[in-house]
Amino acid sequence: MTFDPISLPDRTAMKSNKSSTLTQFVAAAAATLGAMALGTVIGWSSPAQIPVLAGDVYGFSVSVTEFSWISSVVPLGAALSCLPTGFLVDWIGRKYTMLFISIPFVIGWAFIVWPAAVGMLIAGRLITGFCGGLFCVASPMYITEICDIKIRGLLSSFFQLLLVIGILISYIIGAFVPIFWLSVISGIIPIVFAVCFFWMPETPQYLLRRGKDMEAAKALQWFRGKQYDIKNELDSMKEAGEDERKNKISFIAMFRNKIAIKGMLIMFGLFAMQQFSGINAVLFYANSIFSDAGSTLDTDINSIIVGAVQVAATIPASLVVDRLGRKLLLLISSIAMGVFIVILGFYFFFQVRKSKCKIVFLFVKMCKLSLKFSLVLILF
């Protein structure tokens, strides 16, 4: 059934071609609370490592090898979420995919709060990593589809901002409260997300693909404001959807198209650079890295500063991208990250050989690494 938005009751009040941004900011902020939930998952292992290995958190012992699995299983869970996420966002929608995943997210944290054995703790981390990985796909997709093109870059940066805020929250809470309460508070964040995001509409593009023209028009009107004339934008969305359906090709056919192959190679190259930058290892083990380096400052304070640098870097990074462009900044950031992580590696290499290095040198390099990594994620 086709729907002409001119039949809406408040059509006479729609005289402006300028959309409102308030509702778009609200929806983007609600959608990216899932990124904050993922940030707490990433940041949890740093303050948890020392007390967990010391046997101060759970009623069972955890070896160094077992804790390495507890930390590293999070990216594995995120990797496993990619394929089902692509299916879910097209089957039940962007909104309900994210709402649905908040349930296993809380269950995963329950496994971490009350584990009966190491295996249960690892399972909890795997589940929370899986749920966090889903948000990495669904949340940016939701934001891209709901926002006006003029503020799309700014709103897209919300995901990275909330992610690093989540990491910082874990570092701060973990420094001052027992790990049990850090885990409990982290488990509450997905619930807060579900409560806030429940009231947000589905994306107009998804509703149009499902033939729900009336609901799509209402959703677009909500995102753009009551005074905005949605007819032209809604028509453009419909045309884009029709073109997509007409030009749709199979998965196998993509590998026969040179343009598609080139795009995939670029995309996989960028994400490989992101994941192999070494930042996850730094964030997962920030406390122990500073402890092993012989820092004179409290290791929790060092980690908090690193997390704060990421937050401070993310805000101006979104502005730099629009001014200088993606390609140049990607090249600069990737080279800088490579240099700084190599320096970090050499620091410990020479430390083992009793060479003299100041902790300030290590700290500065780690802060720069966090800054560059925040810039790269904004570029994606």
Side-chain angles (χ1 to χ4, degrees):
M1 178 185 72
T2 58
F3 172 74
D4 185 354
I6 201 169
S7 61
L8 283 175
D10 58 350
R11 171 67 181 169
T12 55
M14 300 178 196
K15 299 179 182 179
S16 175
N17 290 322
K18 185 177 180 180
S19 64
S20 172
T21 60
L22 178 60
T23 49
Q24 297 175 62
F25 273 86
V26 171
T32 49
L33 283 174
M36 181 186 291
L38 173 58
T40 59
V41 175
I42 295 173
W44 179 89
S45 61
S46 178
Q49 181 183 9
I50 295 175
V52 168
L53 292 178
D56 300 332
V57 180
Y58 303 111
F60 51 84
S61 61
V62 178
S63 68
V64 174
T65 301
E66 288 170 336
F67 192 86
S68 68
W69 276 102
I70 292 170
S71 296
S72 60
V73 78
V74 169
L76 176 60
L80 293 175
S81 71
C82 294
L83 290 179
T85 301
F87 170 74
L88 286 172
V89 293
D90 286 335
W91 181 38
I92 63 175
R94 288 74 165 129
K95 174 183 176 179
Y96 288 105
T97 295
M98 288 191 283
L99 287 177
F100 170 77
I101 209 65
S102 62
I103 298 173
F105 215 143
V106 175
I107 294 174
W109 275 114
F111 283 10
I112 296 171
V113 175
W114 299 288
V118 174
M120 192 173 176
L121 186 57
I122 294 174
R125 292 283 288 171
L126 181 68
I127 294 171
T128 53
F130 180 92
C131 298
L134 186 145
F135 277 114
C136 288
V137 177
S139 180
M141 183 182 295
Y142 180 87
I143 294 173
T144 300
E145 293 186 355
I146 68 166
C147 63
D148 192 302
I149 192 171
K150 296 179 181 178
I151 58 173
R152 185 170 297 167
L154 177 61
L155 294 186
S156 296
S157 69
F158 278 20
F159 187 89
Q160 171 62 12
L161 178 60
L162 269 293
L163 177 68
V164 295
I165 287 176
I167 295 172
L168 179 59
I169 287 174
S170 284
Y171 289 167
I172 293 174
I173 297 176
F176 299 104
V177 303
I179 298 304
F180 172 85
W181 289 110
L182 169 61
S183 303
V184 170
I185 294 171
S186 299
I188 293 174
I189 295 178
I191 300 175
V192 174
F193 157 78
V195 171
C196 295
F197 191 62
F198 177 80
W199 308 103
M200 301 300 111
E202 181 58 88
T203 69
Q205 287 90 332
Y206 172 77
L207 294 171
L208 287 173
R209 291 191 185 101
R210 289 293 180 176
K212 300 178 180 180
D213 292 18
M214 177 73 77
E215 293 182 30
K218 290 181 178 179
L220 184 59
Q221 195 71 72
W222 188 89
F223 287 122
R224 299 296 183 265
K226 294 182 179 180
Q227 301 301 316
Y228 180 72
D229 189 343
I230 65 171
K231 186 177 185 305
N232 291 336
E233 186 172 356
L234 192 64
D235 289 341
S236 297
M237 288 182 180
K238 291 180 181 180
E239 292 176 6
E242 289 295 329
D243 291 339
E244 182 181 335
R245 281 190 288 270
K246 291 178 181 178
N247 300 318
K248 190 175 182 179
I249 61 175
S250 66
F251 180 77
I252 297 176
M254 287 193 300
F255 293 94
R256 299 172 183 169
N257 187 306
K258 292 183 179 180
I259 297 177
I261 292 175
K262 182 179 179 181
M264 285 189 290
L265 288 175
I266 293 173
M267 179 186 68
F268 286 127
L270 290 174
F271 281 109
M273 179 190 71
Q274 171 192 333
Q275 293 303 313
F276 287 101
S277 66
I279 187 63
N280 283 335
V282 173
L283 295 177
F284 287 163
Y285 297 103
N287 279 32
S288 61
I289 287 175
F290 283 112
S291 177
D292 294 342
S295 173
T296 56
L297 285 175
D298 185 89
T299 56
D300 288 320
I301 300 301
N302 283 326
S303 299
I304 290 171
I305 296 174
V306 171
V309 168
Q310 286 198 115
V311 175
T314 301
I315 298 173
S318 59
L319 302 176
V320 173
V321 171
D322 292 332
R323 293 182 180 182
L324 300 182
R326 275 69 169 166
K327 182 177 179 180
L328 175 62
L329 293 175
L330 277 171
L331 290 172
I332 295 173
S333 298
S334 60
I335 293 171
M337 284 193 300
V339 170
F340 294 138
I341 201 68
V342 167
I343 291 174
L344 181 61
F346 271 110
Y347 174 88
F348 285 104
F349 177 80
F350 287 117
Q351 186 193 49
V352 171
R353 284 156 177 74
K354 309 300 182 182
S355 296
K356 295 181 179 180
C357 290
K358 293 183 178 180
I359 188 60
V360 175
F361 179 79
L362 170 65
F363 178 72
V364 170
K365 297 310 175 185
M366 288 186 67
C367 285
K368 287 184 177 180
L369 174 64
S370 296
L371 186 150
K372 297 299 181 181
F373 180 74
S374 297
L375 178 59
V376 166
L377 283 190
I378 290 295
L379 294 173
F380 286 120

